[in-house]
Amino acid sequence: MSPSRLIVLLLCAAAGTAAAVALPEYREAPHFTNSEAAQCPPPLPATDADAACSPHAVVHVAMTLDASYLRGTMAAVLSVLRHASCPESVYFHFLAAAGSSPPSSSSVAVQELRDTVRASFPSLAFRVYPFDESRVAGLISTSIRGALDRPLNYARSYLASTLPSCVRRVVYLDSDVVLTDDIASLAATPLPRETAVAAPEYCRANFTAYFTPGFWASPSLSATFKGRRACYFNTGVMVLDLARWRRAGYTAQIEEWMELQKRVRIYELGSLPPFLLVFAGRIAAVDHRWNQHGLGGDNYRGLCRGLHVGAVSLLHWSGKGKPWDRLDAGRPCPLDAVWSKYDLLRPAAEIESS
């Protein structure tokens, strides 16, 4: 390290500020065009700020955007475009962390994140929304893993108040997924009556484990699920009807449970339990092929896991182990090779030979 660089770092530390982390340079992704056979609408303009409200936006996708998981987000976007029947008609909504105080050592300006996405996807129709982390930071309780406590993990609860009102239906995706199927099929999931959420359900999972013994011992709290066939669902892949969400005031309901959690500990697992409290037993079921989750192992060791039995349209590395970390460490799990094919940080020639 040069003496001048060392002096800068020491001055920053003395002043109580943190230097922003420089983003790596990702390569440009291939351009995917709409299929004539799919009868796609005209392509969305990449630079039109109003394109989100265009009737030609066939699918809306919402994701978070930050330096820590940017590599995963880029791979997920590439996988969506590669397998979409109308890739030029998919509009992306990215929520990026903003307003952290004090700034973290991993903070990156929203503009830099936007420029990085644009450099790799020149023709992508997207918008980046600064997400003020202070609106939720005071509601977050510590969980079993620090990564689950990041305010941006809770941004999915605020999509209805962040995205334009013209966007009625959106597919929310975590940053650690890749698709192997047409996202339009997922986006078209039927949402009956006033149902606002669709996701794969896992009714064989031990639902009681997601809440503390104190929660179940309280007659008033445990009665929350009375009359509901409450099942676990993973919030990393969801289809949301934002108009219905707004009418029902679901963000406020989620916040109320988070406020209670600050006073009485009723769960241990980050942003998932508030969603279960509000929606479990009230969602539309999606075929399990759209969330082959748990590929990152558990929340403690992140050991390798295989696929569940059945078809695969989306692979999800939920859990502690992320494919990019394991690949960089030279200790990949077998399924990490699937993710690596969408990794825009690796040279194209290296991916083609893998």
Side-chain angles (χ1 to χ4, degrees):
M1 179 182 296
S2 67
S4 59
R5 174 62 174 161
L6 179 59
I7 291 173
V8 170
L9 291 175
L10 289 174
L11 288 173
C12 288
T17 60
V21 174
L23 295 177
E25 291 188 12
Y26 295 86
R27 62 185 176 84
E28 184 175 330
H31 176 71
F32 300 98
T33 58
N34 285 349
S35 167
E36 294 182 5
Q39 297 182 333
C40 300
L44 293 171
T47 57
D48 186 352
D50 297 324
C53 295
S54 168
H56 301 317
V58 173
V59 177
H60 291 271
V61 180
M63 304 183 71
T64 57
L65 197 64
D66 72 342
S68 300
Y69 286 83
L70 181 59
R71 189 172 173 184
T73 301
M74 301 287 270
V77 172
L78 176 57
S79 73
V80 169
L81 298 176
R82 176 170 291 179
H83 298 285
S85 55
C86 300
E88 295 174 299
S89 304
V90 179
Y91 194 95
F92 283 85
H93 306 264
F94 297 112
L95 278 67
S100 66
S101 180
S104 69
S105 60
S106 62
S107 62
V108 174
V110 172
Q111 184 61 49
E112 188 176 357
L113 290 167
R114 182 186 293 112
D115 292 345
T116 300
V117 174
R118 176 60 67 207
S120 288
F121 299 99
S123 59
L124 186 70
F126 74 92
R127 179 179 172 185
V128 179
Y129 307 78
F131 178 70
D132 184 0
E133 295 179 306
S134 65
R135 69 190 300 184
V136 71
L139 296 172
I140 298 175
S141 301
T142 56
S143 64
I144 60 174
R145 184 160 59 92
L148 301 176
D149 300 335
R150 300 183 310 136
L152 199 59
N153 282 344
Y154 294 80
R156 72 195 82 190
S157 302
Y158 297 89
L159 292 174
S161 59
T162 303
L163 273 55
S165 58
C166 62
V167 179
R168 181 183 180 96
R169 177 177 291 218
V170 65
V171 178
Y172 174 81
L173 298 175
D174 271 353
S175 297
D176 51 1
V177 307
V178 295
L179 279 76
T180 60
D181 206 342
D182 188 356
I183 196 170
S185 298
L186 174 60
T189 300
L191 287 166
R193 298 181 295 280
E194 284 300 301
T195 303
V197 178
E201 288 184 300
Y202 304 91
C203 294
R204 293 184 179 180
N206 181 10
F207 189 78
T208 60
Y210 292 96
F211 302 95
T212 63
F215 173 89
W216 296 112
S218 168
S220 60
L221 292 176
S222 59
T224 301
F225 298 110
K226 185 177 181 179
R228 294 159 59 179
R229 186 174 179 267
C231 296
Y232 159 73
F233 67 94
N234 183 283
T235 55
V237 180
M238 298 183 291
V239 180
L240 306 175
D241 187 305
L242 299 184
R244 295 175 183 176
W245 182 294
R246 297 184 190 102
R247 285 199 298 269
Y250 285 132
T251 297
Q253 294 181 39
I254 290 172
E255 290 179 334
E256 288 173 3
W257 283 111
M258 294 175 67
E259 290 170 354
L260 177 62
Q261 164 76 353
K262 296 289 286 187
R263 302 192 301 270
V264 182
R265 196 146 184 98
I266 57 175
Y267 56 79
E268 305 287 353
L269 197 60
S271 62
L272 170 64
F275 258 83
L276 296 179
L277 287 161
V278 175
F279 294 111
R282 296 170 174 166
I283 71 172
V286 175
D287 192 285
H288 287 183
R289 76 177 191 271
W290 285 107
N291 196 349
Q292 285 273 352
H293 67 292
L295 303 183
D298 59 24
N299 282 303
Y300 298 98
R301 293 186 293 171
L303 301 178
C304 297
R305 286 183 177 173
L307 294 173
H308 307 290
V309 177
V312 180
S313 292
L314 182 150
L315 293 87
H316 186 186
W317 280 263
S318 57
K320 184 178 181 180
K322 301 307 175 188
W324 52 90
D325 290 333
R326 297 192 295 215
L327 286 162
D328 288 350
R331 297 190 299 272
C333 294
L335 287 172
D336 294 346
V338 178
W339 183 90
S340 70
K341 296 182 182 298
Y342 303 93
D343 184 10
L344 289 175
L345 203 57
R346 297 172 65 196
E350 182 179 339
I351 293 177
E352 291 170 358
S353 62
S354 63

